[in-house]
Amino acid sequence: MNIQDSQQAVDSWIKEHGVRYFDELTNMAQLTEEVGEVARIIARRYGEQSEKESDKNKDLGEELADVLFVVLCLANQTGVNLQEAFDKKLDLKAKRDHDRHHNNKKLK
């Protein structure tokens, strides 16, 4: 499924199950909350913090999917074609950063 199809799937889900979109500020707060859950897993599982027993069964993929779902909601409700925006961004980064990381001595 591409991003455009994902946006449509989320829109269909909202209309069928979600009643309506939360307003943009509520979704922004939700996005912050979901990113925090991803950060908690990363910090404890891959970083230097100790992982609590209660966190060991948390699914990073599920939490990343929660972030993606809210991003798709925000794109839908603000009229952003995320597929188009992502393709444009990837093209820009490919042109702008073509040699940048190859020439970064820190990455060698």
Side-chain angles (χ1 to χ4, degrees), residues 8-97:
Q8 183 57 51
V10 166
D11 192 60
S12 295
W13 186 92
I14 293 291
K15 289 174 180 168
E16 187 175 335
H17 303 286
V19 180
R20 66 170 178 79
Y21 287 94
F22 295 134
D23 64 56
E24 295 84 354
L25 289 175
T26 299
N27 273 337
M28 188 62 229
Q30 268 197 301
L31 179 60
T32 302
E33 180 182 339
E34 298 300 349
V35 168
E37 291 177 21
V38 169
R40 180 183 179 105
I41 292 171
I42 296 290
R44 291 167 191 245
R45 194 166 297 161
Y46 304 101
E48 295 175 341
Q49 285 189 320
S50 299
E51 190 169 25
K52 293 180 179 180
E53 197 60 41
S54 61
D55 289 337
K56 289 185 178 180
N57 291 325
K58 296 206 184 243
D59 183 347
L60 179 59
E62 183 178 334
E63 298 305 331
L64 287 167
D66 286 343
V67 169
L68 182 58
F69 185 89
V70 180
V71 167
L72 292 167
C73 285
L74 283 165
N76 284 347
Q77 66 194 130
T78 58
V80 172
N81 179 330
L82 210 49
Q83 182 71 59
E84 190 176 287
F86 183 79
D87 291 344
K88 188 175 175 181
K89 177 57 70 176
L90 200 54
D91 186 53
L92 172 73
K93 287 178 79 54
K95 290 175 184 167
R96 181 190 66 200
D97 299 335

